[in-house]
Each structure stands twice: as structure tokens, then as C-alpha cells.
Amino acid sequence: MIYEDEIIRIEREQNDLPWVKIFTQKPFRELSDCDENTRKWLFEVMMICEKEMLKFYKAHKINIASFANVLPLVHIHVIARFENDAFFPNSVWGEKLREADLNLASFDDFAKNLALAIKKHKEKKNLNF
């Protein structure tokens, strides 16, 4: 677990790429089922994840996805992409194109930075959840 509050939780997707999943705590099936507060916080945290991945990993691109077909609960994938990753420029759910040539900084360090960035954002906006 990277971060958790009453509205969302963030987990790592086990992968060679920096990849997190942001879940709503309540079991919403669709984004349109979410109350406004949940939807707003989910998207704010998604943007924080994107910015922190860009800053920390110097990623070439960030992919954001929400499928929830296998697990029908609202969650968003945020994935740092690199021109030399195994799938680039294709989807990470597609066919592997090559062996990855990645030499990335520690995900644990990134996770600490991410949790801190979210907490600071929450304090700055004076959010009490």
C-alpha cells in the first residue's frame, strides 16, 4: 500500500515499469456512479501521480487507463512509459516488442515521494478526510 485515506487507496502494480493503481474505497462500478467528492479526489490524485512520475522518473510518456472489466471496481492505472520499455509505443497490455533496457530509480523511493506529495496537497487544500 502506497497511500490510503477514506476516499481512495493507491497500490503498486507489480511490473518492471513504474505503475500504480488508484482505487476508490467504496465499491463503485463506474466512474459515473462515484459521488462528486470521490470523483474529484480520484482525479486530483491521478494528476499528482502523473506529475510525480514525470518528475521522478523523467518518463517519456504517462499512460492512464480505467478498464475495470476483470475487476468491476473503479480504479485508474497510471503508468510511466519509456521509449526502451518492452512494449513501447504499444499498450502495456499488448504484445511484448523487445526486452526492456530500463535502469530506473527505486520504486520504494518513488512511493515515499508520491505519498508525501499527496499529503502535502491535501494539507494545502485543507481537506479533512
Side-chain angles (χ1 to χ4, degrees):
M1 184 75 58
I2 296 169
Y3 175 84
E4 183 172 31
D5 61 34
E6 292 87 18
I7 296 177
I8 58 106
R9 73 180 187 278
I10 303 174
E11 299 175 3
R12 179 182 186 179
E13 174 74 13
Q14 290 301 319
N15 195 281
D16 292 339
L17 295 170
W19 183 337
V20 299
K21 298 179 288 191
I22 312 165
F23 292 87
T24 58
Q25 294 286 25
K26 292 182 181 174
F28 297 110
R29 187 175 179 87
E30 304 294 343
L31 283 167
S32 58
D33 295 336
C34 295
D35 58 84
E36 184 178 340
N37 204 33
T38 298
R39 195 169 41 252
K40 183 178 179 187
W41 185 235
L42 180 67
F43 278 88
E44 282 186 55
V45 170
M46 178 187 74
M47 295 306 299
I48 294 168
C49 289
E50 176 182 286
K51 289 176 183 177
E52 290 300 313
M53 279 185 178
L54 286 168
K55 184 169 64 173
F56 189 86
Y57 286 109
K58 309 292 188 251
H60 178 75
K61 181 76 176 88
I62 301 296
N63 289 176
I64 295 174
S66 178
F67 299 109
N69 295 330
V70 175
L71 178 64
L73 298 171
V74 168
H75 64 284
I76 296 176
H77 297 260
V78 184
I79 311 157
R81 300 298 307 276
F82 305 89
E83 290 176 312
N84 57 342
D85 75 44
F87 300 91
F88 194 86
N90 296 342
S91 165
V92 294
W93 289 279
E95 185 177 330
K96 190 175 182 179
L97 301 176
R98 69 188 73 78
E99 288 303 315
D101 182 23
L102 302 173
N103 184 19
L104 301 176
S106 162
F107 187 88
D108 290 341
D109 290 343
F110 167 72
K112 289 175 191 170
N113 287 357
L114 177 59
L116 183 60
I118 294 167
K119 289 174 186 171
K120 284 182 178 180
H121 181 80
K122 197 172 173 181
E123 288 172 8
K124 181 179 175 184
K125 295 196 92 176
N126 199 25
L127 301 174
N128 297 317
F129 52 81

